[in-house]
Amino acid sequence: MATEYALRMGDGKRVFLTKEKIIEEIEAGTADAADLGEISTLSGDEIDKLAEILMMPGKAVSVEQGMEVPVTHDIGTLRIDGDQGNSGVGIPSSRLVGCMMHERAFGADTMELGHIDYSFKPVKPVIANECQAMEVCQQNMIIPLFYGAMPNMGLYYTPDGPFENPGDLMKAFKIQEARESMEHAAEHMTRDMVWIMQRLFASGTDGVNFDTTAAAGDGDFYGTLHAVEALRTQFPDMYIEVGMAGELVLGMHGELEYDGVGLAGLWPHQQAPLVAKAGANVFGPVVNTNTSKTSAWNLARAVTFIKAAVEVSTLPCHVDMGMGVGGIPMLETPPIDAVTRASKAMVEIAGVDGI
Amino acid sequence: MASKEELIQELSDAIISCKKDAVLAAVEKAKEVMEPAEIIEKGLAAGMNEVGVLFERGKLFLPHVMMAADAMGAGVAVLEADLPEGSESKKLGVIVNGTVEGDVHDIGKSIVSTMLQSAGFEVHDIGRDVPLRNFIEKAKEVKANMIGLSALMTTTLPGQKEIIALLKEEGMRENVKVMVGGAPATQAWAEKIGADCYAENASEAVAKAKELLL
Ligand code: B12
């Protein structure tokens, strides 16, 4: 019987596949990305290399020496203290302690301070608290420390915000009204994000991480790009990272443009140039994991998309690697065999600048 | 004169163009040679399916889906006027759709609701973070044929299983189909918890709902 290798399904389940089957899955995964994004598939050599990474005997694998990349953390502090469905481990610790642990014990190259709600809008009422936490962290740390949150434009729609929910309007065929609601929400979101970051920058943050950008579709992306542009104009030295919510910018509005480019339906390699144009320093592309497919299929697909983004991007690309993204299975604590294989493939095949 | 195949193509293309007048013109033309049911099923609905696929591929956007659905509705209305007495097309089925308790992710669930509605189902979208009991209450109230359950987190996924248990407890399981979805759900999960089907995306949800309810 042919040797079988232990891989994962996208939901984390163990599967055992032969080398032939692994190659078949990789070919199908890369073909899917190429078809959707109208980009090149991985070459024969890259497919072999990916298969080799997937079949390595060690439980954890690592990049070759000399190929190490910076590792950026988002709300890691919440993951130590918190336990609310986001893989928190529930160890009581302040955010300062969490940040310092990442710097001094976990080897993070940059770190981020975030609010428990992790969206910009709810930071407004507690801005003084956030500014103070930022100052204290900055006084105790050396590595660059950002402020991070999600644009999360959904919070501007009913029942959470002032503008009528475009989902409800759409269902009632009120398309124009739905579009106007999104435009208003985007404008308010931009204003809030700029206001919040003006204050945090005065309190010493090294930069900002717009995390899960475009979660609410093209309007969300539009509002975020405008916030980046405004912050770049006001603060030439602010370090700005834009990380995406998913691989595709969902077309909720359908007609919003930035720099003459329609935002709906953009794939990672089409998002990168706009993020650079707005004035960001780092781009965080995302590819979603399909829980019904194997890790070979998912990883090949993710690497294909990310490689195309890295090729066109003028900014460093720090790929988003976590539960359910970047070829990693969707589990609260993603299995280390899958995480390290996906990371190695992203660095050595897709050529990412950081994770 | 255009062949039947050409007319079907024209109907479907008109839906994909999302233009109501194009759809109405195509329907007028097709009416000469085709039965209303055939026009709807082979022409308009087939076009709507294609719209769903183009949406998943990022080639068409939500407003287009709605415009296409609106145009399809107008086309169907014209045909209904021509249907023999008492045979006017009825709703394909009644579906209660929502995101389970503890989970606020509703973008995907809302797209599924929209697409099901566009396809001709009567959809009651009860929102997100919905207490599990509410699914049962709503299903009773509207006499639902199917419940759609969305969960986007591994931590809220078990809510889908609990609702199936509640349906059994209430003696409703026989009469109500259960469709599960959301990124962490899989076919294997659906089988494990005894759901009737799993769908990966909105267009698949429409296809599966039709399979189960028609
Ligand atoms: C957008 C988003 C949010 C938004 C949600 C806004 C909203 N109104 O929905 C906000 C910012 C609020 C949010 C909050 C949180 N999120 Co969130 N979020 C996402 C994100 C980025 C995208 C989800 C999405 O909308 N996708 C687009 C839609 C179109 O796709 P979809 O939902 O999969 O739907 C499709 C299919 O699944 C299917 N489908 C969906 N529903 C149904 C139903 C039926 C019946 C059927 C048949 C099919 C079906 O059809 C849809 C259309 O094709 C994902 C990561 C990702 N990239 O997937 C994380 C993610 C789901 N979130 C996550 C987490 C942890 C959270 C938070 C707990 C974070 C926090 N600490 O605050 C909170 C949740 C709070 C709560 N109690 O629910 C995790 C879940 C991890 C896990 N354990 O499973 C993810 C995977 C991110 C991550 N890797 O950490 N999030």
Side-chain angles (χ1 to χ4, degrees):
Chain A
M1 209 179 98
T3 314
E4 289 191 330
Y5 300 87
L7 268 68
R8 300 270 173 185
M9 292 301 290
D11 65 356
K13 213 172 74 204
R14 267 267 175 246
V15 279
F16 293 90
L17 303 178
T18 61
K19 182 175 178 185
E20 286 66 44
K21 182 66 185 159
I22 291 174
I23 301 267
E24 227 173 77
E25 290 287 294
I26 294 176
E27 282 168 350
T30 187
D32 189 61
D35 172 40
L36 287 168
E38 292 164 27
I39 51 180
S40 320
T41 53
L42 297 176
S43 69
D45 285 351
E46 288 163 340
I47 289 175
D48 289 344
K49 168 112 192 168
L50 186 52
E52 193 190 303
I53 293 174
L54 286 165
M55 295 182 308
M56 284 183 163
K59 184 170 173 71
V61 304
S62 176
V63 294
E64 285 165 26
Q65 291 204 44
M67 294 192 81
E68 299 86 351
V69 296
V71 179
T72 315
H73 271 259
D74 64 0
I75 42 160
T77 54
L78 304 184
R79 303 233 147 121
I80 292 175
D81 185 37
D83 183 17
Q84 16 119 49
N86 58 358
S87 71
V89 291
I91 301 172
S93 62
S94 68
R95 287 192 286 170
L96 168 65
V97 171
C99 283
M100 291 178 75
M101 275 158 84
H102 277 80
E103 176 184 86
R104 300 187 190 180
F106 304 159
D109 295 299
T110 76
M111 192 45 199
E112 174 187 291
L113 181 71
H115 178 250
I116 188 76
D117 245 9
Y118 205 51
S119 299
F120 277 100
K121 190 173 168 237
V123 174
K124 281 193 297 176
V126 293
I127 186 73
N129 193 15
E130 294 307 276
C131 287
Q132 195 176 354
M134 177 58 76
E135 281 172 25
V136 175
C137 288
Q138 290 289 356
Q139 280 159 1
N140 285 281
M141 292 173 69
I142 297 150
I143 59 171
L145 180 69
F146 307 136
Y147 193 77
M150 307 186 284
N152 195 2
M153 199 167 87
L155 290 183
Y156 294 83
Y157 301 144
T158 49
D160 298 317
F163 302 109
E164 204 167 339
N165 200 308
D168 298 339
L169 289 167
M170 284 280 182
K171 271 180 237 142
F173 297 109
K174 293 181 181 164
I175 294 169
Q176 200 44 41
E177 287 91 328
R179 284 186 164 143
E180 280 163 19
S181 198
M182 291 181 221
E183 288 160 22
H184 290 144
E187 204 178 295
H188 276 243
M189 184 181 80
T190 304
R191 205 184 58 194
D192 283 352
M193 296 195 297
V194 170
W195 184 88
I196 288 163
M197 287 318 300
Q198 282 167 340
R199 267 131 205 96
L200 280 152
F201 203 59
S203 293
T205 187
D206 294 292
V208 55
N209 174 25
F210 293 100
D211 195 325
T212 59
T213 296
D218 47 350
D220 192 311
F221 196 26
Y222 178 86
T224 305
L225 290 171
H226 281 280
V228 172
E229 193 183 300
L231 289 169
R232 175 55 67 229
T233 313
Q234 288 175 40
F235 307 111
D237 297 333
M238 184 187 275
Y239 191 90
I240 304 177
E241 169 156 2
V242 175
M244 303 303 292
E247 57 198 29
L248 178 70
V249 178
L250 290 173
M252 299 300 198
H253 184 292
E255 286 179 351
L256 291 170
E257 292 186 355
Y258 186 78
D259 196 34
V261 181
L263 297 178
L266 296 185
W267 297 96
H269 65 289
Q270 298 162 319
Q271 298 155 9
L274 297 179
V275 170
K277 177 84 189 186
N281 301 87
V282 172
F283 175 52
V286 172
V287 178
N288 305 56
T289 295
N290 182 323
T291 47
S292 305
K293 301 277 193 184
T294 64
S295 52
W297 187 93
N298 275 307
L299 189 53
R301 185 175 179 281
V303 167
T304 306
F305 268 126
I306 300 296
K307 180 169 172 266
V310 170
E311 273 166 9
V312 299
S313 180
T314 52
L315 300 178
C317 289
H318 286 198
V319 61
D320 188 357
M321 302 295 281
M323 48 181 163
V325 288
I328 294 177
M330 176 87 160
L331 273 184
E332 284 107 278
T333 305
I336 192 149
D337 50 279
V339 175
T340 56
R341 277 169 178 75
S343 305
K344 182 175 170 71
M346 282 297 174
V347 175
E348 295 180 0
I349 303 173
V352 299
D353 307 278
I355 289 180
Chain B
M1 185 145 177
S3 73
K4 212 166 171 183
E5 280 68 43
E6 281 166 350
L7 288 169
I8 288 174
Q9 190 61 46
E10 203 175 319
L11 286 161
S12 157
D13 287 349
I15 290 285
I16 296 167
S17 79
C18 311
K19 293 198 181 94
K20 203 188 276 189
D21 40 359
V23 170
L24 291 174
V27 167
E28 283 307 323
K29 224 164 121 187
K31 256 168 55 175
E32 309 289 318
V33 269
M34 288 166 69
E35 289 300 317
E38 200 179 14
I39 296 181
I40 295 173
E41 204 38 48
K42 293 201 176 140
L44 303 179
M48 209 53 222
N49 280 345
E50 184 60 21
V51 167
V53 171
L54 290 168
F55 174 74
E56 306 293 351
R57 296 178 62 88
K59 300 289 182 211
L60 279 185
F61 311 123
L62 204 57
H64 301 124
V65 175
M66 295 316 297
M67 287 185 232
D70 194 23
M72 170 148 176
V76 171
V78 168
L79 293 167
E80 267 175 355
D82 290 355
L83 284 175
E85 199 72 31
S87 72
E88 63 268 16
S89 72
K90 55 175 179 17
K91 288 283 177 196
L92 301 181
V94 181
I95 303 179
V96 169
N97 197 32
T99 306
V100 300
E101 188 160 8
D103 197 326
V104 304
H105 298 90
D106 66 353
I107 296 169
K109 178 270 301 161
S110 299
I111 293 173
V112 170
S113 289
T114 304
M115 298 288 267
L116 287 170
Q117 183 190 313
S118 309
F121 291 96
E122 179 182 325
V123 181
H124 298 269
D125 188 326
I126 54 173
R128 58 184 180 177
D129 189 8
V130 178
L132 303 182
R133 281 246 150 241
N134 292 17
F135 282 92
I136 311 291
E137 299 310 323
K138 192 72 189 178
K140 279 187 197 161
E141 179 196 324
V142 302
K143 301 197 173 52
N145 312 104
M146 179 183 264
I147 295 184
L149 300 171
S150 183
L152 256 285
M153 299 191 290
T154 47
T155 46
T156 51
L157 202 56
Q160 300 181 335
K161 189 175 159 196
E162 286 170 44
I163 289 171
I164 293 178
L166 282 176
L167 281 171
K168 284 188 188 149
E169 237 172 66
E170 295 278 332
M172 294 164 70
R173 186 66 187 93
E174 298 296 298
N175 305 320
V176 182
K177 303 278 184 214
V178 176
M179 175 158 71
V180 296
T186 58
Q187 182 59 39
W189 166 252
E191 284 163 19
K192 186 170 159 192
I193 64 171
D196 297 289
C197 78
Y198 155 77
E200 189 175 313
N201 54 43
S203 45
E204 204 178 295
V206 170
K208 295 261 173 102
K210 283 186 176 168
E211 243 170 63
L212 282 173
L213 295 185
L214 296 191

